[in-house]
Amino acid sequence: MNRRLRVGLYALGGVFALLLAVALIATYVVLQPERFTALLQARARAAGLELTLSSPAHPTLWPSPALELEGLSLRSNVSGTPLIAASRGKLVLPWHTLLGGEATISRLEVEGARIDVDAVSAYLDTLPSRPSTAGATLPTIDAGFRISRGTLLRGTTLLLSNVEAETDRLASGRRFTLTVSANLADETPYALDLDTVPTLSRGVLTLADAKLKLASEKHFEADLKGDATWRGGADVGASLSGRVSREEGKPFDVVLAVTPANQNDPLYVALKLDGETEHADLHIPPLALGEWWNGIHAGGTLTMPPLVGTFDAANVDAGSLHVKGLRIEATPDAPASSTTVGSAP
């Protein structure tokens, strides 16, 4: 390589290094990590929460302007247990922020998040209660978010692991998608996908053209379509229908309808299943069912769940339990009873 070419390459490399240094300095000056950190902390304080970082945020430019966050912790002002603790986070910013534009966030990404259900529940209990006559609300999400390698806990009890969740912007009249996947404590994987158009008008929230998919790999996959409405409180209505396919067993049709609570009856979910060997017509009170489930987990007496209706199945296989000819009947005035024929453990 001749001397002139070598000098030219050195000069070109020096110019590139200088431009890179200038770009990095400009990134810190223009993005001003402290203003975005202050923006997040101000929003948290307005909600009665305290956001801390283990180290100051630092900016990046590729593949888009962003701020890298290390050691996030979000606590309630009345509790020392973090609602959310994450190893890393990223605030993705619009390109106009490089030109000194308004401090806005286009996306939030969190990695290695640990979410404590008890801490979240305790925080929600501190929020002012809404009047029972208040209409529906739709919390706006200006920026989409993503959670990766998350964990859901209740104190020291593991509920979900390997949680992956992602959404885009949530706003009235705009199509919204949500994808969630996670493993139960026994490592059984589940995935949920929701696609709908939420519209809030005069205190009524409508989820139009809703597509809901719930699946567990090598177990089942349910595809439902329909609409739902919420008018505030327990005034919830929905009508969904679709099909459930299974890895072992033939598919069956599903019709699900939610009836709002009134002065005489609680909120009910009507569930109809129609398959080749399974048929069900059940009315389920979700609030009472939740209380029953919590009582069982708390060590209470094992009782039949608070269901009304009938369930028939030629075969039921649940782990080591194998039952043939199962029929369950329940009425509002009599506890649920079951009849089995040729059952075997």
Side-chain angles (χ1 to χ4, degrees):
M1 182 183 298
N2 59 49
R3 183 173 181 275
R4 181 176 297 179
L5 179 59
R6 188 165 56 250
V7 171
L9 290 176
Y10 286 150
L12 182 62
V15 170
F16 178 77
L18 178 61
L19 291 175
L20 181 60
V22 170
L24 291 175
I25 294 173
T27 299
Y28 274 89
V29 173
V30 174
L31 289 184
Q32 299 175 12
E34 65 278 1
R35 68 169 175 162
F36 287 95
T37 302
L39 174 64
L40 280 179
Q41 291 174 331
R43 290 183 177 179
R45 282 193 293 272
L49 300 169
E50 190 65 32
L51 173 67
T52 58
L53 303 176
S54 63
S55 60
H58 58 276
T60 61
L61 281 177
W62 184 259
S64 59
L67 292 177
E68 300 281 354
L69 310 175
E70 301 288 342
L72 293 84
S73 180
L74 189 65
R75 287 180 168 83
S76 167
N77 291 335
V78 297
S79 174
T81 303
L83 281 70
I84 302 175
S87 57
R88 296 183 58 201
K90 177 187 286 188
L91 302 179
V92 182
L93 312 173
W95 279 99
H96 69 74
T97 54
L98 291 177
L99 304 176
E102 181 185 359
T104 59
I105 301 168
S106 61
R107 185 175 177 81
L108 172 63
E109 299 179 1
V110 179
E111 182 179 344
R114 294 169 58 89
I115 304 171
D116 191 303
V117 173
D118 287 341
V120 173
S121 178
Y123 164 70
L124 294 177
D125 289 340
T126 66
L127 299 180
S129 58
R130 301 178 71 243
S132 59
T133 56
T137 60
L138 179 66
T140 300
I141 300 177
D142 295 327
F145 71 83
R146 175 179 173 80
I147 297 175
S148 59
R149 297 192 302 106
T151 304
L152 190 67
L153 304 166
R154 171 170 282 136
T156 58
T157 303
L158 176 65
L159 301 179
L160 297 175
S161 63
N162 198 29
V163 178
E164 304 280 335
E166 185 169 5
T167 75
D168 53 9
R169 181 185 175 192
L170 175 60
S172 180
R174 177 187 175 96
R175 182 163 288 279
F176 173 74
T177 60
L178 165 68
T179 62
V180 181
S181 64
N183 293 348
L184 296 182
D186 62 1
E187 296 300 320
T188 303
Y190 282 88
L192 180 145
D193 294 275
L194 173 65
D195 185 314
T196 186
V197 179
T199 303
L200 182 63
S201 177
R202 298 181 179 180
V204 179
L205 176 62
T206 302
L207 301 183
D209 188 26
K211 301 178 180 66
L212 179 66
K213 177 184 288 187
L214 178 64
S216 179
E217 187 178 357
K218 296 182 180 180
H219 291 84
F220 74 92
E221 181 175 304
D223 285 286
L224 303 176
K225 297 180 180 180
D227 302 283
T229 57
W230 178 41
R231 292 178 172 82
D235 193 345
V236 180
S239 179
L240 299 168
S241 62
R243 195 168 179 82
V244 176
S245 57
R246 297 173 290 177
E247 186 75 14
E248 298 181 3
K250 295 187 177 181
F252 53 86
D253 297 322
V254 179
V255 177
L256 185 149
V258 180
T259 304
N262 55 42
Q263 294 181 347
N264 299 317
D265 300 309
L267 176 71
Y268 265 105
V269 176
L271 177 64
K272 291 185 178 181
L273 307 178
D274 190 10
E276 187 172 288
T277 58
E278 299 96 354
H279 303 277
D281 189 352
L282 298 171
H283 283 72
I284 306 167
L287 298 180
L289 185 63
E291 293 176 357
W292 171 83
W293 183 255
N294 290 334
I296 295 299
H297 273 263
T301 303
L302 181 62
T303 60
M304 293 296 292
L307 306 177
V308 176
T310 61
F311 176 80
D312 293 276
N315 296 280
V316 174
D317 294 304
S320 60
L321 178 66
H322 306 283
V323 179
K324 293 184 178 180
L326 175 65
R327 177 176 177 81
I328 298 177
E329 296 183 16
T331 64
D333 300 321
S337 61
S338 63
T339 304
T340 62
V341 178
S343 60

